[in-house]
Amino acid sequence: MHKFYNECAYFTAARYFRKVEQITNRIFEPTGLAPAYAYILLYLEDYPKSSITKIAEDLGYERTSVSRMLNFLQERGLVVFETSGRKKLFHLSSNSSEVLETANDCLSQLKKLTDKELGNKKVEMTSLLTENYWRLNTYD
């Protein structure tokens, strides 16, 4: 009998991710953006003037995906870039404040929900997931 239902890192992480993604998509609906786009805005709130490479590394997205998402956000007037040598550095535009406020509210709602549902195991679990992500990141 297969035990992957509960023991396989891929299957259990993917199953968990699908559930978290469903919940997060619903919570972030008021932003009018998919959560990944909102998270880029939130990242730029913390780290203004960031490069595509830095955003991709820190958030764990593919560089091409970050580039596509930043282009989308730029087309909507939510981010702008400046050139520094050969690099593009992105930061929030003045038009982003309303969406950013909503995204912060959504993030707070998600935290409250996951704190309530996952309890004190949440901190341990997210720490382990983060640690294991960086361990496996060497296999790229």
Side-chain angles (χ1 to χ4, degrees), residues 9 12-21 23-24 110-111 113-134:
T12 56
R15 179 177 57 193
Y16 176 80
F17 174 75
R18 287 189 297 273
K19 180 49 68 182
V20 171
E21 185 175 38
I23 293 166
T24 305
L110 179 63
K111 182 184 181 326
L113 184 139
T114 56
D115 284 352
K116 178 184 171 212
E117 296 301 324
L118 302 176
N120 59 3
K121 294 282 189 177
K122 177 184 165 185
V123 171
E124 179 184 354
M125 180 198 58
T126 54
S127 294
L128 284 171
L129 287 170
T130 300
E131 179 184 326
N132 289 335
Y133 167 81
W134 288 111

Side-chain angles (χ1 to χ4, degrees), residues 1 9 17 26 71 95 99 101 106 115 119 132:
M1 179 171 197
F17 174 75
R26 188 175 66 246
N71 286 335
N95 299 331
V99 173
E101 184 178 335
C106 293
D115 284 352
N132 289 335

Side-chain angles (χ1 to χ4, degrees), residues 71-80 92-97:
N71 286 335
F72 175 88
L73 293 168
Q74 184 180 2
E75 288 169 6
R76 285 174 178 55
L78 299 172
V79 300
V80 292
L92 298 170
S93 76
S94 57
N95 299 331
S96 66
S97 59

Side-chain angles (χ1 to χ4, degrees), residues 51-70:
S51 69
I52 292 171
T53 301
K54 184 69 174 145
I55 296 168
E57 286 173 0
D58 288 352
L59 297 183
Y61 295 131
E62 293 294 322
R63 192 179 181 290
T64 55
S65 297
V66 171
S67 178
R68 180 181 41 76
M69 288 188 275
L70 285 167

Side-chain angles (χ1 to χ4, degrees), residues 75-94:
E75 288 169 6
R76 285 174 178 55
L78 299 172
V79 300
V80 292
F81 74 90
E82 59 187 59
T83 305
S84 176
R86 293 174 24 157
K87 278 187 177 178
K88 280 185 177 180
L89 299 177
F90 289 84
H91 56 90
L92 298 170
S93 76
S94 57

Side-chain angles (χ1 to χ4, degrees), residues 28 37-47 100 103-104 107:
F28 274 79
Y37 294 85
Y39 278 108
I40 287 179
L41 294 177
L42 293 165
Y43 179 89
L44 289 173
E45 182 178 39
D46 291 339
Y47 302 100
L100 194 57
N104 275 294
L107 186 61

